[in-house]
Amino acid sequence: MTRKAILQIGTEKTGTTTLQTFLAANREALAARGFVYPRFCGALNHTGLAAYAMDADRPDSLKHPFGGIAAADIPAMRARLRAAAAEDLDGSGTAIFCSEHCHSRLVSETEVQRLRDFLAPHFDEIRVSVYLRRQDQIALSLYSTVLKSGAVPDRIIGIPDPENPYYNYDRFLGLWEKVFGQDAVSVRIFERSSLTGGSIVDDFLDQWQIGPPEAFAPVADENGAISPEAQHFLLSLNRHFGEGSTPEDWAIRGQLVASLSAGFPGKGLRPARAAAQTFYKAFRPSNAAVAARHFPDRATLFSEDFSAYPETADPAVPDTETLARVAAALLVERGREIERLEAEIAIRDARLLGRQDRLEDAAATLARAIARAPRQPGLHRTSGEFLLRLGRNQESLAAAREACALQPDNWEYRHFLGIVLAACAEPAAAADVQREALSMKPGHPGIKRALEAALSQCPPPAGATV
């Protein structure tokens, strides 16, 4: 039985996606140090914890992946999660749970207690980890999120509700402290100057003595914010989605949102400095209460520097050129994605023909695909393979070189180029290329064998004794 757990509950907009990606990517490295990142409640984000603990009569799409569509489904859903937990929590190390939805979804003492009752049979000790971010910054970050969800907000930063536990950290923490005990709740401030290494990952590793960052594979910082241009575009788009939109419409919209997130990252629109200060001031009393309990040496819970905000709000209405520029970028990106998918289909079809020994048909299929999508490196690489099998070595060499030119950091393409060079009776060039491939993929046995074979075909240096 696993006897200790670290329960990271958010808050939202404090880098939890980055932390979850890191923990999931380093499961083996964590296990080697005595820490387990379970899967039973979610492979990446442990959303199953909030899904289990929410009241049955509260509809929430978070429950759907676990089978909790309607209130009547909840008992069976909870039973499945209990069984999965019993199987997954096998005593192999300290468990780490991470889901910011514990912050946003569990809003009553009853729900927090239900989560504790769910986990308590498996642990002697449960420590709750939470990061707090200044309320105006959370609200600003949420603007991108609500736009992505399809909403049409009428302002960048909303009207504050001092009693809302999402922002009222005194009320929010009070729920967890009452259920788990104040000493079990570890509070950190999500400000770069307060985080070890300026990173939530480094800070979390240090706080819980998990290990140095260099002992783990790094991950990219996950930032869900989008640029002002993308926000303007989404706001306009959302006005055309409503009751008449079908699930298929929303699926297509979801693809556009993903493209916007990838192609237009940024800090987003900013309200006027006075608006941000007004929002923050509504939570000063509750912040002071949290500081008194957890940070008695701090004058204020958060830094009160608002200089990042402009004197006047960023323009709320986009010009048509901005919308057209975003639309054009999306059109190009979708076209490239279609081209990539068509290339995958052509490669699949060619390989099916190859298995039927229809090599000429396979090569012709790839040639037609290359004519339509000449900048897809996989097409050239696969074409080179079939041309080599057909004995059309010089054509294969041209295809292999084009694949490497289009994707120079692909070690397999470079390895294949070396094979083709050897087939074209160019062993010295083949050896050079295989050395490059080996530097990109150290220790690869296939590259090492190809390099040795190429070197064995090279003539001895001038003046060498045979």
Side-chain angles (χ1 to χ4, degrees):
M1 181 181 292
T2 305
R3 303 314 308 170
K4 182 177 179 180
I6 301 165
L7 177 58
Q8 163 62 20
I9 61 172
T11 58
E12 290 192 340
K13 307 304 176 184
T14 58
T16 47
T17 302
T18 299
L19 180 58
Q20 290 155 1
T21 302
F22 171 84
L23 294 169
N26 285 280
R27 273 192 170 93
E28 290 186 8
L30 288 167
R33 290 176 171 269
F35 294 88
V36 177
Y37 195 55
R39 297 177 184 271
F40 73 90
C41 49
L44 183 70
N45 187 334
H46 290 150
T47 55
L49 300 181
Y52 181 98
M54 277 188 285
D55 288 343
D57 59 357
R58 282 180 57 198
D60 195 303
S61 60
L62 199 71
K63 302 175 183 178
H64 295 181
F66 301 94
I69 309 298
D73 302 326
I74 301 305
M77 180 197 77
R78 288 174 178 164
R80 287 193 297 271
L81 281 167
R82 286 194 297 270
E87 183 175 348
D88 206 9
L89 301 176
D90 59 3
S92 56
T94 296
I96 300 174
F97 297 99
C98 185
S99 181
E100 71 279 16
H101 298 299
C102 291
H103 160 230
S104 59
R105 298 315 209 276
L106 306 187
V107 296
S108 70
E109 182 183 337
T110 300
E111 291 178 322
V112 176
Q113 183 66 53
R114 186 177 292 119
L115 176 59
R116 187 185 184 282
D117 292 344
F118 176 36
L119 296 176
H122 304 283
F123 306 104
D124 295 321
E125 180 184 2
I126 301 175
R127 298 293 304 278
V128 178
S129 169
V130 59
Y131 287 81
L132 302 180
R133 187 178 183 184
R134 204 173 73 188
Q135 286 90 345
D136 60 289
Q137 295 172 351
I138 291 257
L140 185 61
S141 183
L142 272 176
Y143 185 68
S144 286
T145 301
V146 298
L147 286 173
K148 290 178 184 179
S149 71
V152 184
D154 59 359
R155 61 186 69 206
I156 301 171
I157 192 167
I159 299 173
D161 174 4
E163 299 305 312
N164 182 352
Y166 188 87
Y167 295 108
N168 185 319
Y169 297 144
D170 184 31
R171 292 191 62 189
F172 160 62
L173 290 174
L175 296 175
W176 295 84
E177 291 166 352
K178 186 170 183 180
V179 172
F180 287 89
Q182 182 175 324
D183 291 343
V185 179
S186 175
V187 182
R188 305 283 287 175
I189 301 301
F190 188 76
E191 292 175 350
R192 191 169 295 278
S193 61
S194 299
L195 299 173
T196 302
S199 157
I200 188 172
V201 169
D202 291 5
D203 193 82
F204 189 83
L205 292 175
D206 179 64
Q207 179 191 7
W208 298 106
Q209 300 180 339
I210 295 171
E214 56 269 22
F216 302 95
V219 299
D221 185 31
E222 299 281 347
N223 186 348
I226 54 177
S227 70
E229 294 85 356
Q231 289 180 335
H232 282 313
F233 185 87
L234 260 185
L235 185 61
S236 299
L237 181 70
N238 290 350
R239 293 193 178 103
H240 297 278
F241 278 81
E243 294 182 2
S245 300
T246 66
E248 292 77 13
D249 295 335
W250 282 99
I252 293 171
R253 181 192 171 281
Q255 295 171 7
L256 287 176
V257 170
S259 296
L260 280 169
S261 299
F264 292 87
K267 292 184 178 297
L269 294 166
R270 299 166 300 170
R273 185 177 304 150
Q277 289 173 320
T278 297
F279 190 94
Y280 167 73
K281 286 177 183 177
F283 302 100
R284 260 186 173 163
S286 57
N287 287 348
V290 173
R293 290 202 304 278
H294 293 277
F295 301 96
D297 296 332
R298 293 178 71 103
T300 59
L301 186 62
F302 301 107
S303 164
E304 296 191 348
D305 178 7
F306 286 80
S307 60
Y309 291 98
E311 287 291 340
T312 59
D314 291 333
V317 179
D319 56 76
T320 55
E321 284 299 316
T322 294
L323 296 179
R325 185 168 62 252
V326 175
L330 287 173
L331 180 63
V332 169
E333 192 277 335
R334 298 312 298 169
R336 288 175 178 167
E337 178 64 9
I338 291 170
E339 186 179 270
R340 185 189 66 79
L341 293 173
E342 289 179 341
E344 287 185 0
I345 293 170
I347 291 170
R348 181 203 63 190
D349 291 346
R351 294 206 177 281
L352 287 173
L353 290 167
R355 285 198 284 272
Q356 300 169 18
D357 291 327
R358 296 168 59 186
L359 302 185
E360 291 286 0
D361 290 339
T365 295
L366 292 165
R368 288 192 295 271
I370 288 171
R372 294 192 301 271
R375 297 197 58 78
Q376 290 295 318
L379 289 175
H380 293 280
R381 162 63 180 86
T382 312
S383 176
E385 176 185 334
F386 283 101
L387 291 168
L388 185 63
R389 291 171 65 182
L390 287 164
R392 294 156 62 178
N393 292 3
Q394 290 302 316
E395 294 175 72
S396 174
L397 181 58
R401 281 177 168 153
E402 184 64 17
C404 287
L406 290 170
Q407 196 168 335
D409 60 347
N410 188 307
W411 68 266
E412 197 280 331
Y413 289 1
R414 201 157 295 274
H415 173 43
F416 177 70
L417 174 59
I419 292 172
V420 180
L421 284 165
C424 292
E426 298 185 38
D432 288 342
V433 170
Q434 296 295 2
R435 288 192 188 96
E436 293 173 0
L438 195 60
S439 70
M440 299 164 73
K441 188 71 172 178
H444 188 278
I447 301 175
K448 292 170 69 174
R449 287 193 298 270
L451 176 58
E452 292 169 0
L455 290 172
S456 71
Q457 297 299 314
C458 291
T465 302
V466 179

